[in-house]
Amino acid sequence: MARDKYTKKMPDAVDYYRRSFLKRLGVTTAAAVGATYAHGAWGGKSLADAFSDFFQQHYQRMTAEELQETLSRIERKAQQQYGTGITCTDTPPLEGVVFGYAINISKCKGYRDCVEACAEENNLPSDIRYIHVLEMDEGSMNLELADRYYEHETVPVEGKYYLPVQCMQCDNPPCVKACPVEATWMDSDGIVVVDYDWCIGCRYCMAACPYSARFFNWTRPDLPADRINPDTNYIGNRPRPVGVVEKCHFCTQRTRKGRQPACQEACPTGARIFGNLLDPNSEIRYVLENKAVFRLKEDLGTEPKFWYFSDR
Amino acid sequence: MIITSCYITSIKNAESAEGGRIVLRLLSMIVAVATPCIIGAGESDPGQPGQRYPEAPEFTVQPRKDKPKFDDCSRCHEEGDTDPEPRRLKTRHVREIDHGGNRFWCLTCHDGDNIDYLRTSSNENVDFDESYLICGSCHADRQKDWYFGGHGKRVSGWQDERVILACTECHDPHKPAVKPRQPRPQPPVRIGLERQENHPPATSRAWNR
Amino acid sequence: MALLLFFRDAFRELFRGSLLYWAWIVFLWAIIALGGWSYIGQLNNGLVVTNMSNQVSWGFYISNFTFLVGVAAAAVMLVIPAYIFDRKDIRDVVLLGDTMAVTAVMMAMLFVIVDIGRPDRIWHMIPLIGRFNFPVSLLAWDVIVLSGYLLLNLGISFYLLFSHYQGREVKLKTYLPFIMLAIFWAISIHTVTAFLYSANTGRPFWHNALLAPRFIASAFCSGPALAIIILQLVRKLVGYPVRQSAIDTLRVTMTVALQITLFFVIADLFTDFYFEGAHSASSRYLFFGLHGAAKLTPWIWSALALLVIAVTILMIRTLRRNPVLFNIACVMTVIGVWIEKGMGLVIPGYIPTPLGEIFEYLPNATEVRISLAILAIGLLTFTLLAKVGMAIERGQVRLRDDIEEELAGLTNEEESESLKTPT
C-alpha cells in the first residue's frame, strides 16, 4: 500500500524507460556471466548476487517480485558472509499508527540494559550503540556536561540523573532533507528508516542530525554467527553492508508486528513508554496529556516524537 | 493605546491562569485524599481490578502469587491467631520495614483476620495479585498513572491485550526504593580508535556543588 | 575532422617536453600510485582506515573539498576583469584561470568520491535512473552546481582553444552569455557549499548566516593568491607572456578580500565570545581548546597568523614590492585559507557533538596519502591542460591551412618523426 503511494510519484513512461534500461543492462551482463556461480570473489558472494546487488532498485521502487528476490538474496548473503541462517521479511508500516516514545527520567537509573538489548536485537556491530545514556548533573540540562562513558560500581550515582538519547524519529527530520539520494525517509508510521542498499555513505545526514542518532559502518559489521538475531526485516535489523549509515528505527521488525521495541522490553524500571500517538487511549497519549513533558532541542523545529517526563 | 490594553489583558490572563492552577491543585489534592474514602464508602465489590478508574484502558496484571518465592501465610497462621499488637517479629518474617517512615507494621497492609489477603486503609479485602489497590491508598497519584500507563511497565505488545506489572514486581513493599546496581558496559568507540578522556568538570553551578 | 586533429595535436603536445617536465610528470605519477595503493586499501576495508568516527564523521577529505571549491570559484576574479572590464592583459591569461577552475572542481569531486562509503552506488544520484533528492538536499545542489561549473568552464575553454587552434578569431558575442553565466555560477558553487554547512541547525558553528559571505571572501583570497603563484611560475618556467598588470590586479583583489575575511573573522569571534553560551562551544574548542582538548588550536592560530602577516605585507608598499616577500604573502594566504576553510571549518562543527561529547580528530597517514594523490592528480591535470592550452595560445599548435594536405602527409610525417626521435 505504502509502496503504491511512492511509486506513483514517478510518471509511468519514465518508470518504463528506467526499468527497461536497467533490465537491459542486467540481462546483458547476466548473459555474459552465464550460468557460472563463482564463489570467493565479490566479497563472499556469488557473481550473480554481486551483480544483482549492484543494480538493486530503491526499496520504494521495487515491485513485489523484485522485493522477494532481494529478500532471499539478503538471506543467502547472510549465510555466505556470516555463516548463519536468517529470515528477512518486508514490514510495511501499519495503517492508522504513528509511533511515539516517552522516557520517564525519574525512573531511568542508568543501567544501560536498553543499550545492550538494542544491540543484540538489531545486530549492531561492536562499535555502534543506538542509545546514548547520558549521565547528567542534577540541576542542569547542559549536554556539554553529560558523560556517556560513565563507569561506576553501582548506578544511579548521587547528584546525577540519566538521560537516554536515541533517534527521536523527528516529524520534521533534518536527516531526510539532507540525503542526496532519498535513501532515508519517514514512513507513514512516523519512523525514519534507511534503505541500507541505496545509501551511498556520504554521511551528510550524520552532519544534519542534532541528536547524534546516526551511525556509519566504517567497516563490515563484525557479527559473530552465534550472536546474530535471525529474525530480521529489510528496513530494520538485517545485517548491514559496509559503508552505509544506520540508525534506531524503533525496532520496526518488532513494533510493526505489534510488539514492543527491544529497549522497552529490556528496561528493568519501566521508564520507557511506547505506543501509538493516534490512539487517544494509548499510554503514550496519557503521558503527553497528563505529565509535564519536554523534548530535546525542541527549539530546532525538528518535532521529535520522543518525549521525556518525570514523576517528581 | 492598543498595546496597553493588550498588556492588561495578558496580565489578566496570567492572573486567571494562575488562579485556575491553584484551584486545580486544590481539587486534585481533594481528589487524591478522598479517592480511597469514596470507594470505601461505596462498599460495593471491593478490589475489583480497574474499578478505581473505569475509564482507564483495560488491563490484566501479570500474576505474582504463583511465583515460588511467595509463601502461603496460612501455612503457619491459622484463622484468628494473628496478634495485632505491633512488636518485633522473629522467624520467617521480614525483619525490617523501610517503608512509611516507621509508622508501618505488618497489619498496615496485611489482613490479620485473613492472613492470605491484604487490607486497604478503608478496610477492603484485597488479593495479593491486586496489591496495587493497597499501594493506591497512599500513592494515589502514582496509582492513577499506573492505571493509565504513565507508570509501571507494560509487558505485552503495544497494541491489543494490555498486560502490566504489579507495583510489587519492581518495588519490594517492605523496602520500595529501587536498589542501585552495576551498569552494563561503557559504550564503545569506533574500531581502531581509542576512547578520549575529555570529560568536563562537573559544574554549571548547582549550586557550586 | 578538425576536431579529431585538434585532439591528436593536443595529445602529441603532451609528449613534447623538457627533462624537467618529464621528471615532474613521473614524480606526480609516483605520488598518485602511492595514494592509489592506500585508496585500494580503503576500498577493501572501508573508511575504518581513516581517523573519522561517528563523532567526527567528515574529516580531511571534505576539508580539502571545501577549500578547493573556493579555489574554483575564485577563477571568476580573472574572468570578471577580463570580460566585464575588458582588460586585454587579463584576457591573455584567463584561460589559465579557467584551467585552474576545472582542475580545482575536479579535485573537489575526487575528494567527495574518496570520502563516500559506497562509490559503487554513485549512480543512485543520476536523476530518473537513480533518485536525486533535488531541490531538497543541499548536497544535491552541490552536485548540480559543481558539475555544471565543470562543464561550463570546460566548454568555454574548449571553444576558445579550438577556435585559436583553427586560427579563427573568437566571437565575443557567441560566448559572452556563457561567460556571464559562469560568473554567477562561480559565486553559486561556493555559496551552495557554504549553505551545505549552514543548513545544519543542529551544528551552531556552521549554522551562521555569515558563513557564505565568509566563504566567498576567503575564496577571493586563496584563489587569486594561487593564480598569482601559478602565473609567475608559468612565466618563469615556460616563458609564457604574463603581464605584470594582470598580477597587480589579482594582488589588489586578494588584499581587499583578505581584509574583508579578517573583518568577518573578528565579527564571528565577537559574537561567539562576548557572551559565551552553548553555541560558542565549537569556537572555544577551535580557538582555545575545550576541557583539555585542543588539537586544532595550533592550526587555527597558525592560519590567523599567516593571514595577518600576509595582509600586512600586501598593505605596505615597500614590503609588497619585494618579490620574495610578495610571494611569501601569497603562499601564506593559500595555506592560511586552506586551514581556515578546511580543517578549521569542518572539524569544529563536530566538536563537541550535538550531545556534548568531545571527540577529537586529526587526519592519519592514509588520509594524507590519499589527499596527496588527489593533489597530484590535480597538478598533473593542470600541467597537461595548461601545456596544451599555452601551446595553442602561443600558436605552437595550429591546424594547418590545408587540411587535405595535412591528411595526406599524415602517415609520412609520423614515420619521419619516429625516425627522428632516436637521434
Side-chain angles (χ1 to χ4, degrees):
Chain A
M1 286 151 275
R3 185 171 311 285
D4 290 341
K5 193 175 84 194
Y6 285 106
T7 26
K8 252 178 217 148
K9 262 166 55 178
M10 280 213 322
D12 288 348
V14 170
D15 191 45
Y16 173 76
Y17 161 74
R18 182 183 53 72
R19 271 181 203 289
S20 64
F21 169 79
L22 286 175
K23 207 161 264 175
R24 208 172 313 143
L25 261 178
V27 169
T28 322
T29 320
V33 171
T36 49
Y37 210 70
H39 278 277
W42 316 105
K45 298 178 271 190
S46 70
L47 184 55
D49 277 357
F51 184 77
S52 310
D53 273 354
F54 184 80
F55 286 106
Q56 188 180 315
Q57 250 317 328
H58 190 286
Y59 170 72
Q60 291 171 328
R61 278 181 180 172
M62 277 190 257
T63 61
E65 303 90 73
E66 281 172 336
L67 184 62
Q68 276 315 312
E69 229 169 82
T70 304
L71 292 175
S72 52
R73 184 149 35 83
I74 287 168
E75 291 170 359
R76 228 172 16 247
K77 278 191 295 180
Q79 185 68 50
Q80 281 158 0
Q81 297 184 357
Y82 297 104
T84 184
I86 63 165
T87 56
C88 188
T89 58
D90 178 38
T91 50
L94 304 172
E95 296 278 328
V97 175
V98 170
F99 287 118
Y101 216 143
I103 290 194
N104 186 340
I105 51 173
S106 54
K107 282 172 86 179
C108 178
K109 304 294 179 197
Y111 299 144
R112 293 201 187 103
D113 284 0
C114 52
V115 179
E116 294 304 309
C118 162
E120 280 167 36
E121 169 67 31
N122 288 303
N123 291 320
L124 297 193
S126 67
D127 60 352
I128 293 180
R129 291 293 178 269
Y130 287 163
I131 305 173
H132 309 275
V133 181
L134 304 181
E135 187 176 68
M136 308 280 292
D137 292 314
E138 270 173 13
S140 164
M141 257 298 285
N142 188 351
L143 291 172
E144 242 190 88
L145 303 181
D147 184 6
R148 189 156 79 87
Y149 300 101
Y150 61 86
E151 198 164 45
H152 309 293
E153 287 279 296
T154 58
V155 284
V157 168
E158 187 129 6
K160 306 282 185 186
Y161 70 99
Y162 298 86
L163 191 74
V165 180
Q166 62 204 74
C167 176
M168 304 276 148
Q169 314 295 353
C170 303
D171 217 42
N172 183 18
C175 53
V176 169
K177 281 185 98 166
C179 180
V181 294
E182 299 176 22
T184 185
W185 63 92
M186 188 172 74
D187 261 339
S188 65
D189 58 1
I191 300 181
V192 176
V193 291
V194 181
D195 183 351
Y196 312 120
D197 290 340
W198 192 258
C199 170
I200 59 168
C202 72
R203 308 192 293 295
Y204 189 35
C205 56
M206 294 173 77
C209 175
Y211 304 100
S212 300
R214 286 178 163 262
F215 305 88
F216 187 67
N217 285 283
W218 298 96
T219 189
R220 209 185 82 181
D222 51 337
L223 302 175
D226 57 327
R227 292 199 56 193
I228 287 189
N229 173 10
D231 187 10
T232 73
N233 66 342
Y234 182 91
I235 217 69
N237 65 339
R238 67 184 163 109
R240 268 77 68 191
V242 60
V244 303
V245 169
E246 59 175 279
K247 63 182 277 296
C248 159
H249 45 87
F250 277 3
C251 285
T252 44
Q253 71 278 7
R254 298 165 61 104
T255 52
R256 285 179 178 177
K257 293 175 186 157
R259 296 174 69 197
Q260 299 275 5
C263 47
Q264 192 278 349
E265 193 176 277
C267 179
T269 65
R272 290 171 165 269
I273 292 160
F274 179 82
N276 181 5
L277 290 168
L278 299 185
D279 173 7
N281 295 318
S282 65
E283 293 160 336
I284 181 89
R285 281 286 290 273
Y286 174 81
V287 170
L288 300 195
E289 284 151 25
N290 293 278
K291 294 286 176 182
V293 297
F294 70 91
R295 298 187 285 181
L296 218 51
K297 308 198 187 198
E298 197 171 350
D299 48 326
L300 296 181
T302 50
E303 298 290 346
K305 292 193 284 288
F306 200 100
W307 287 265
Y308 297 92
F309 70 102
S310 166
D311 272 342
R312 282 178 277 191
Chain B
M1 211 24 226
I2 295 162
I3 293 167
T4 356
S5 67
C6 286
Y7 182 56
I8 288 165
T9 1
S10 72
I11 286 180
K12 268 189 191 154
N13 283 340
E15 275 175 354
S16 61
E18 184 62 22
R21 217 171 291 147
I22 290 167
V23 170
L24 263 181
R25 198 170 301 161
L26 277 173
L27 264 175
S28 69
M29 277 165 73
I30 291 165
V31 170
V33 171
T35 317
C37 312
I38 294 166
I39 283 156
E43 285 284 311
S44 62
D45 208 4
Q48 269 298 306
Q51 281 299 295
R52 293 281 195 270
Y53 295 95
E55 72 276 26
E58 267 183 55
F59 63 89
T60 49
V61 178
Q62 184 167 292
R64 280 173 54 76
K65 265 202 310 198
D66 47 2
K67 292 201 175 165
K69 69 175 179 181
F70 254 85
D71 265 351
D72 255 344
C73 304
S74 52
R75 270 206 311 191
C76 308
H77 288 264
E78 274 165 36
E79 206 172 323
D81 75 342
T82 309
D83 179 0
E85 206 50 47
R87 65 196 187 280
R88 207 168 222 319
L89 292 177
K90 287 177 205 120
T91 63
R92 309 191 48 171
H93 289 103
V94 171
R95 292 283 148 93
E96 223 177 311
I97 300 173
D98 190 4
H99 189 182
N102 287 332
R103 285 164 301 180
F104 284 8
W105 103 281
C106 310
L107 299 189
T108 315
C109 303
H110 292 272
D111 188 344
D113 301 327
N114 197 352
I115 200 69
D116 278 339
Y117 285 84
L118 302 165
R119 194 204 295 266
T120 65
S121 56
S122 41
N123 259 338
E124 298 159 294
N125 246 9
V126 165
D127 188 86
F128 271 113
D129 273 342
E130 292 162 2
S131 53
Y132 55 89
L133 296 169
I134 308 290
C135 307
S137 321
C138 300
H139 306 284
D141 281 0
R142 202 67 98 238
Q143 190 195 36
K144 184 189 171 199
D145 282 349
W146 180 86
Y147 269 94
F148 288 90
H151 191 96
K153 178 168 174 170
R154 181 167 178 158
V155 283
S156 59
W158 59 269
Q159 63 178 0
D160 302 331
E161 199 200 359
R162 179 170 171 236
V163 182
I164 55 177
L165 294 182
C167 315
T168 47
E169 196 77 45
C170 303
H171 303 283
D172 178 348
H174 309 109
K175 197 173 192 282
V178 174
K179 286 173 208 71
R181 206 198 76 186
Q182 196 186 2
R184 301 292 295 268
Q186 286 180 304
V189 293
R190 202 209 76 190
I191 291 169
L193 296 179
E194 275 168 29
R195 182 167 294 131
Q196 298 177 5
E197 292 300 329
N198 294 319
H199 188 61
T203 165
S204 233
R205 332 221 159 83
W207 201 244
N208 292 332
R209 303 211 186 273
Chain C
M1 203 67 237
L3 195 65
L4 274 176
L5 291 171
F6 171 76
F7 281 115
R8 188 203 62 175
D9 287 349
F11 194 67
R12 268 191 196 165
E13 170 63 20
L14 299 182
F15 291 92
R16 252 173 258 147
S18 62
L19 196 63
L20 185 69
Y21 169 73
W22 283 109
W24 172 240
I25 300 292
V26 169
F27 168 71
L28 291 178
W29 272 112
I31 295 179
I32 294 169
L34 196 71
W37 183 252
S38 295
Y39 185 58
I40 291 170
Q42 183 184 300
L43 282 180
N44 284 336
N45 300 306
L47 284 153
V48 72
V49 299
T50 70
N51 262 358
M52 287 185 274
S53 57
N54 287 322
Q55 288 86 350
V56 183
S57 47
W58 277 349
F60 199 52
Y61 297 149
I62 295 298
S63 303
N64 288 327
F65 157 81
T66 311
F67 168 74
L68 284 165
V69 173
V71 171
V76 78
M77 277 299 144
L78 282 166
V79 177
I80 291 176
Y83 294 103
I84 308 284
F85 303 139
D86 205 22
R87 286 269 301 267
K88 176 77 179 66
D89 53 338
I90 292 178
R91 216 183 294 179
D92 286 343
V93 295
V94 78
L95 254 170
L96 283 169
D98 282 339
T99 313
M100 197 173 101
V102 166
T103 314
V105 174
M106 190 202 69
M107 287 167 72
M109 287 174 155
L110 283 177
F111 271 114
V112 173
I113 287 171
V114 298
D115 185 70
I116 65 176
R118 299 301 298 231
D120 55 321
R121 295 182 183 170
I122 205 92
W123 67 272
H124 292 179
M125 280 212 201
I126 303 170
L128 303 182
I129 297 171
R131 273 183 95 154
F132 194 54
N133 192 10
F134 185 82
V136 174
S137 169
L138 257 300
L139 212 53
W141 275 83
D142 223 13
V143 170
I144 296 246
V145 292
L146 283 181
S147 35
Y149 192 64
L150 186 66
L151 290 178
L152 210 49
N153 274 292
L154 275 176
I156 292 171
S157 309
F158 175 77
Y159 171 72
L160 290 178
L161 285 176
F162 191 49
S163 302
H164 291 158
Y165 172 75
Q166 290 171 301
R168 278 199 313 230
E169 217 23 61
V170 289
K171 283 187 222 92
L172 193 60
K173 240 198 250 167
T174 21
Y175 74 105
L176 194 64
F178 293 99
I179 296 282
M180 298 305 289
L181 185 60
I183 289 171
F184 285 102
W185 208 287
I187 306 292
S188 84
I189 61 167
H190 216 27
T191 307
V192 168
T193 306
F195 286 174
L196 191 75
Y197 293 99
S198 52
N200 299 302
T201 53
R203 311 224 177 237
F205 184 72
W206 296 340
H207 189 57
N208 179 345
L210 195 56
L211 205 69
R214 272 189 71 172
F215 265 56
I216 301 288
S218 64
F220 290 168
C221 309
S222 56
L226 203 58
I228 288 172
I229 297 168
I230 288 171
L231 289 181
Q232 285 176 307
L233 277 176
V234 160
R235 185 163 63 181
K236 197 151 205 171
L237 293 176
V238 198
Y240 191 74
V242 176
R243 266 181 260 176
Q244 189 59 33
S245 59
I247 289 179
D248 285 344
T249 304
L250 286 174
R251 191 203 71 222
V252 172
T253 311
M254 171 186 162
T255 311
V256 175
L258 256 177
Q259 291 162 338
I260 297 173
T261 295
L262 287 171
F263 172 70
F264 283 170
V265 170
I266 291 165
D268 258 354
L269 282 175
F270 171 80
T271 319
D272 274 330
F273 292 112
Y274 176 75
F275 202 101
E276 207 179 331
H279 285 195
S280 321
S282 293
S283 289
R284 174 153 286 275
Y285 167 74
L286 177 62
F287 287 99
F288 306 107
L290 198 59
H291 309 304
K295 279 190 186 155
L296 232 48
T297 40
W299 288 65
I300 195 66
W301 287 111
S302 319
L304 287 188
L306 290 169
L307 294 180
V308 168
I309 295 170
V311 80
T312 314
I313 293 174
L314 291 171
M315 281 159 65
I316 298 169
R317 196 190 313 186
T318 45
L319 294 181
R320 71 168 177 255
R321 286 209 170 152
N322 178 334
V324 178
L325 276 183
F326 176 58
N327 277 305
I328 287 177
C330 289
V331 173
M332 280 178 154
T333 307
V334 174
I335 298 175
V337 173
W338 174 69
I339 295 172
E340 196 253 347
K341 274 290 149 309
M343 295 280 287
L345 171 98
V346 177
I347 311 307
Y350 291 101
I351 302 172
T353 68
L355 296 184
E357 185 181 347
I358 299 160
F359 196 87
E360 291 196 279
Y361 165 87
L362 281 181
N364 67 9
T366 308
E367 287 168 275
V368 172
R369 272 199 301 274
I370 292 176
S371 301
L372 280 176
I374 293 176
L375 177 67
I377 292 173
L379 289 173
L380 185 66
T381 313
F382 183 82
T383 308
L384 300 182
L385 288 180
K387 186 166 174 15
V388 173
M390 286 187 296
I392 292 173
E393 289 298 284
R394 294 159 92 187
Q396 291 162 342
V397 175
R398 269 289 142 88
L399 183 69
R400 305 265 183 84
D401 287 338
D402 191 351
I403 300 173
E404 305 272 322
E405 195 181 303
E406 159 83 8
L407 284 172
L410 199 84
T411 36
N412 298 336
E413 195 188 280
E414 265 178 354
E415 275 165 21
S416 60
E417 254 192 15
S418 58
L419 284 173
K420 257 182 236 166
T421 27
T423 57

